[in-house]
Amino acid sequence: MTKLTHLNDAGEAHMVDVGAKPATAREAVAEGLIRMQPETLALIVAGGHKKGDVLAVARVPGSWRPRRPPS
């Protein structure tokens, strides 16, 4: 059986260095479902949530992840 490079000996996922690989065009498609009260959605859309801009905070991990170097 072929060993998966993104899993260590304990079966845990970890980053691998892919810096030597040639650049390729890739596309990822994701889908999700979020359930909430209509009042909550109204607050988010209006930017009036007491915790600030909820959508901006949600975008942060998505922008960081592709740039994270292997560790």
Side-chain angles (χ1 to χ4, degrees), residues 33-63:
L33 174 67
I34 301 172
R35 295 179 186 195
M36 67 183 75
Q37 298 295 321
E39 297 82 7
T40 305
L41 178 59
L43 280 172
I44 292 171
V45 170
H49 197 281
K50 66 181 179 181
K51 292 189 177 182
D53 188 345
V54 175
L55 297 178
V57 172
R59 286 185 201 102
V60 171
S63 66

Side-chain angles (χ1 to χ4, degrees), residues 7-33:
L7 298 178
N8 64 18
D9 292 335
E12 301 164 330
H14 68 98
M15 296 293 292
V16 296
D17 186 358
V18 295
K21 291 177 74 174
T24 57
R26 297 180 185 192
E27 181 178 342
V29 178
E31 185 176 315
L33 174 67

